[in-house]
């Protein structure tokens, strides 16, 4: 999120979003498991696969939350930094994985030099960027030539019957779960943030415009989850983005 100024259309100001994630930190992992029937760990493993990290690699997980994707990257042998703007989320990440480095930071103003990491990932956080294109440009900037950028996000399925179920689940069930968890505002924000986020093809085009090549995406969970991956070119190259379903 940006350090100041007006939020993008359809988003909340940075201070409100950060306060929201601070508030829900204690229930965040449980709610993720309930809302995804525990599948979110599998999706993070697939994102880590696309990051293509191994022993000796250095990775940055932006909007790391409570650290699950950072932990998955670390399990592949990478040295990982997890970054988030919510200090309460980071406290839980540090307790979960004391051996990893978790730092508070701004996704739109990364403090790292150009080409600092072999892979940069975002798991369920890109839709909270107040300026998506600026955030994508920052992800690419800190990735070394030949390195990978991977974004894991919820997306809106377009075909029934899954599109019907998706609308019911996100417009009614998720806010109801939020009320039970004690924060209806936060879990009403989630469906709206998903609806305004670009679809898979548009996101791929914006990743390409940010400087990646060979951008591809995988749809999983019946089209509810999109995982995009692209490579920062060693030399400028702009092939068309391509998608796949699984």
């Amino acid at each position: 999120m940006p350090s100041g100024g007006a939020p993008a259309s359809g988003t909340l100001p940075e201070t409100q979003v950060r306060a929201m994630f601070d508030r829900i930190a204690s229930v965040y992992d449980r709610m993720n498991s309930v809302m995804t029937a525990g599948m979110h760990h599998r999706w993070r493993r697939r994102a880590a696969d696309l990051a293509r990290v191994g022993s000796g690699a250095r990775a940055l997980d932006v909007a790391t939350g409570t650290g699950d994707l950072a932990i998955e990257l670390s399990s592949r042998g990478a040295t990982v930094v997890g970054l988030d703007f919510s200090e309460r989320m980071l406290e839980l990440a540090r307790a979960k994985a004391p051996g990893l480095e978790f730092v508070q930071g701004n996704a739109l103003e990364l403090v790292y030099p150009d080409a600092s990491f072999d892979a940069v990932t975002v798991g369920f956080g890109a839709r909270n960027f107040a300026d998506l294109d600026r955030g994508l440009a920052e992800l690419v900037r800190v990735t070394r030539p030949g390195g990978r950028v991977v974004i894991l996000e919820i997306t809106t399925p377009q075909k029934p019957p899954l599109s019907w179920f998706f609308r019911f689940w996100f417009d009614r069930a998720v806010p109801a779960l939020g009320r039970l968890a004690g924060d209806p505002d936060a879990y009403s924000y989630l469906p709206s943030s998903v609806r305004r986020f670009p679809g898979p093809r548009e996101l791929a085009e914006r990743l390409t415009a940010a400087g990646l090549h060979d951008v591809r995406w995988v749809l999983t969970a019946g089209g509810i989850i999109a995982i995009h991956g692209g490579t920062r070119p060693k030399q400028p190259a702009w092939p068309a983005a391509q998608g796949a379903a699984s």
Side-chain angles (χ1 to χ4, degrees):
M1 302 291 294
S3 56
S9 176
T11 67
L12 293 174
E14 175 197 354
T15 53
Q16 290 186 31
V17 177
R18 184 170 61 240
M20 178 184 69
F21 280 104
D22 282 341
R23 289 197 315 269
I24 67 172
S26 63
V27 299
Y28 182 79
D29 285 346
R30 290 197 300 275
M31 286 292 287
N32 277 352
S33 292
V34 169
M35 289 189 300
T36 69
M39 295 289 288
H40 62 103
H41 294 298
R42 179 180 298 182
W43 302 332
R44 287 185 172 90
R45 287 194 293 271
R46 295 199 70 176
D49 288 342
L50 290 179
R52 301 175 189 170
V53 296
S55 180
R58 181 169 166 81
L60 174 67
D61 184 42
V62 175
T64 195
T66 61
D68 283 342
L69 183 49
I71 292 168
E72 184 63 39
L73 293 165
S74 178
S75 75
R76 313 299 176 94
T79 299
V80 183
V81 178
L83 179 142
D84 202 281
F85 68 173
S86 167
E87 184 57 37
R88 180 58 184 143
M89 288 281 196
L90 291 170
E91 289 172 3
L92 296 174
R94 292 179 188 121
K96 189 185 291 185
L100 298 187
E101 180 182 357
F102 291 102
V103 299
Q104 189 172 34
N106 187 336
L108 305 190
E109 298 175 356
L110 297 174
V111 298
Y112 303 102
D114 295 357
S116 295
F117 297 94
D118 298 290
V120 180
T121 61
V122 187
F124 304 115
R127 68 179 183 276
N128 297 313
F129 292 177
D131 185 334
L132 178 60
D133 292 326
R134 180 177 169 186
L136 298 181
E138 278 291 274
L139 303 183
V140 175
R141 180 184 66 78
V142 300
T143 304
R144 68 166 179 81
R148 299 280 291 167
V149 174
V150 176
I151 295 181
L152 163 64
E153 262 301 351
I154 304 169
T155 192
T156 303
Q158 301 300 314
K159 295 181 180 180
L162 190 61
S163 60
W164 301 335
F165 169 78
F166 184 86
R167 284 196 296 270
F168 167 79
W169 181 249
F170 270 84
D171 292 343
R172 297 188 181 183
V174 168
L177 289 170
R179 288 193 291 273
L180 291 175
D183 203 320
D185 290 343
Y187 288 94
S188 295
Y189 168 81
L190 171 60
S192 65
S193 70
V194 171
R195 279 194 296 269
R196 73 170 190 282
F197 196 69
R201 183 169 297 281
E202 182 185 346
L203 181 58
E205 291 169 351
R206 291 168 80 162
L207 284 165
T208 299
L212 298 180
H213 78 134
D214 194 28
V215 176
R216 300 170 185 268
W217 69 93
V218 173
L219 296 179
T220 191
I224 292 175
I225 298 297
I227 312 173
H228 287 70
T231 302
R232 180 174 179 179
K234 296 180 180 178
Q235 296 178 345
W238 315 106
Q242 300 180 50
S246 68

